Amino acid sequence: MNLFDVYPLYNITPVKALGCKIIDNNGVEYLDLYSGHGVISIGHTQPDYVTKLKNQLDNIGFYSNAIQNPLQVELAEKLGKLSRYEDYTLFLCSSGAEANENALKLASFHNGKSRVISFENAFHGRTSAAVATTDNKKIVAPINAQQIVTFLPLNQIDLVEAELKKGDVCTVIIEGIQGVGGLDEGTTEFFQALEIVCKQYEVVLILDEVQSGYGRSGKFFAHQYHNIKADIICLAKGMGNGFPIGGIMISPKFKASYGLLGTTFGGSHLACAAGIAVLDVIEDQKLMDNVNDVYTYFLEAIKQVPEVIKVKGKGLMLGVEFDFDVSELRKKMIIDKHIFTGNANNKNLLRILPPLTIKKADIDTFIVALKETLTELKL
């Protein structure tokens, strides 16, 4: 049997990783400024994380959600405290798409409606309702397109309110900072107005913090820059530092009932051990302070590269924009300079999503390599 060929692959085979470094089967070391789509939060093979997972596996790795699992309670308590959402409840699942899927489902259960407002260039996942709210027709199959979704531009609250007035909108779903779409984000004025109109028309406000959460923006959640609260917050990626885990944090306005939501693998003992380890390291090592410190340094350092026309995003969720397609630049950075970065729907944008443990010296390495590569491309 062969693999179903849906991924264009670089000829690189990682066999070892530590911190912000990846080593391939030829012994070549790479600087990881992408974290596998922003998944690695506390660094590759972080020692405390590895120890906690190994110890947990020696005891019990999995059982169904039909039994008591104190690790779920511990994870919920620590997450509530660190995120300052202690009065919310937590439902655990296994991925960001599953988190968004359950958030959309819960919102629809709550008010009995089904139409969704999403935004241009949004990405919310590849499962049924989540992909329907993703602004990319190429990955929306006909079976997904049955969901009624209205896509609007960011930062135009009058257009949002005009749709909410029609009375059939279930929920508004929005990323704290857009990821795949290209690091665009709502303004504080827009987010605050969005919270107000959603309350006014009894529409559920879902904040997709799958990529922008867990300290990546410099705050625990990117929407916390705008002093708002969401009804449901979706989590995944950095939540498990590479172990598959996701979840939704749910406002007290929602009432739980047996069977309302469910999952097979979500909230397993091993997944919770990973989630707890991540939160402990973020807090103990003050990683959000490091995110903000390195972000400030990055903004100053990137000024050495005149070809850069704009830096988008916050913290360590950044987009470096040029006035040309960066596909070849990105490829040369990986192959010749051994530095991983990411791409986006915006073809002129390099995405920078390093582990939250990244050091200023690593930024210096990136800047030197970027300048050299840009010069080489001009020759």
Side-chain angles (χ1 to χ4, degrees):
M1 181 186 292
N2 294 319
L3 295 173
F4 196 51
D5 190 11
V6 292
Y7 300 117
L9 301 178
Y10 287 102
N11 189 25
I12 298 169
T13 306
V15 295
K16 179 70 177 173
L18 180 65
C20 299
K21 307 291 185 184
I22 292 173
I23 301 166
D24 73 9
N25 58 338
N26 296 313
V28 177
E29 187 177 282
Y30 296 79
L31 175 61
D32 185 8
L33 297 186
Y34 192 54
S35 304
H37 309 302
V39 166
I40 301 300
S41 50
I42 60 172
H44 292 281
T45 59
Q46 201 278 341
D48 299 320
Y49 171 86
V50 171
T51 298
K52 193 165 187 70
L53 264 68
K54 284 181 176 178
N55 290 342
Q56 185 60 50
L57 201 52
D58 283 337
N59 293 302
I60 180 172
F62 171 82
Y63 205 71
S64 79
N65 283 302
I67 47 80
Q68 299 287 330
N69 184 347
L71 292 172
Q72 293 183 353
V73 177
E74 182 182 352
L75 176 57
E77 288 175 348
K78 288 188 173 182
L79 176 56
K81 179 183 175 184
L82 199 56
S83 68
R84 293 178 296 150
Y85 272 96
E86 291 179 275
D87 59 333
Y88 278 44
T89 52
L90 178 66
F91 173 79
L92 290 165
C93 55
S94 299
S95 70
E98 192 182 357
N100 285 330
E101 197 78 24
N102 278 286
L104 292 162
K105 184 177 181 180
L106 184 59
S108 187
F109 271 135
H110 180 71
N111 57 25
K113 299 174 183 178
S114 61
R115 185 160 69 103
V116 178
I117 301 298
S118 186
F119 293 91
E120 293 173 0
N121 290 318
F123 185 92
H124 297 293
R126 291 177 177 268
T127 55
S128 186
V131 79
T133 63
T134 292
D135 188 21
N136 182 350
K137 289 183 173 60
K138 291 188 291 186
I139 64 171
V140 179
I143 195 170
N144 310 128
Q146 297 176 86
Q147 172 67 50
I148 304 170
V149 181
T150 303
F151 291 96
L152 299 175
L154 284 171
N155 298 321
Q156 295 194 32
I157 194 63
D158 55 328
L159 297 183
V160 177
E161 186 167 13
E163 296 300 323
L164 302 194
K165 283 180 179 178
K166 295 176 183 177
D168 64 336
V169 173
C170 157
T171 183
V172 174
I173 184 168
I174 185 171
E175 294 159 274
I177 300 171
Q178 289 189 336
V180 174
L183 283 298
D184 290 321
E185 57 187 308
T187 63
T188 293
E189 180 184 22
F190 179 71
F191 271 109
Q192 290 181 351
L194 194 58
E195 181 185 31
I196 291 168
V197 295
C198 283
K199 286 180 180 176
Q200 181 181 346
Y201 294 99
E202 298 182 346
V203 170
V204 175
L205 177 58
I206 299 173
L207 254 296
D208 178 350
E209 294 275 6
V210 165
Q211 189 170 116
S212 54
Y214 265 70
R216 180 155 293 282
S217 72
K219 292 187 180 290
F220 197 86
F221 293 124
H223 72 264
Q224 290 173 321
Y225 278 99
H226 311 299
N227 296 313
I228 66 164
K229 278 205 164 185
D231 295 314
I232 306 175
I233 304 163
C234 303
L235 321 166
K237 294 200 185 294
M239 189 176 185
N241 201 50
F243 194 95
I245 182 172
I248 54 175
M249 293 167 49
I250 304 162
S251 161
K253 73 167 65 173
F254 297 88
K255 302 305 176 189
S257 61
Y258 294 149
L260 187 71
L261 303 176
T263 177
T264 297
F265 296 105
S268 74
H269 298 76
L270 201 54
C272 287
I276 291 165
V278 166
L279 289 173
D280 285 346
V281 172
I282 287 174
E283 185 171 28
D284 294 346
Q285 296 189 8
K286 297 181 171 55
L287 290 188
M288 283 187 280
D289 289 346
N290 186 63
V291 170
N292 288 306
D293 194 25
V294 174
Y295 173 48
T296 300
Y297 187 82
F298 184 94
L299 291 180
E300 192 61 33
I302 202 70
K303 292 177 182 177
Q304 301 173 44
V305 187
E307 292 89 346
V308 173
I309 61 172
K310 191 174 186 180
V311 177
K312 294 181 172 182
K314 290 184 175 71
L316 294 177
M317 186 174 176
L318 300 172
V320 179
E321 191 169 22
F322 299 83
D323 61 0
F324 57 89
D325 187 319
V326 299
S327 300
E328 188 61 26
L329 170 64
R330 178 171 173 257
K331 182 177 179 180
K332 280 183 67 65
M333 291 284 285
I334 295 172
I335 302 302
D336 296 344
K337 307 300 180 183
H338 307 138
I339 297 177
F340 283 105
T341 60
N343 60 357
N345 288 348
N346 179 350
K347 301 304 179 185
N348 293 357
L349 197 81
L350 278 182
R351 273 203 291 165
I352 309 296
L353 299 166
L356 309 187
T357 53
I358 195 85
K359 304 301 181 189
K360 293 175 183 176
D362 298 316
I363 301 304
D364 292 339
T365 299
F366 167 69
I367 296 296
V368 170
L370 180 60
K371 290 165 68 175
E372 289 176 354
T373 306
L374 287 165
T375 299
E376 291 162 9
L377 284 171
K378 292 175 183 176
L379 295 177

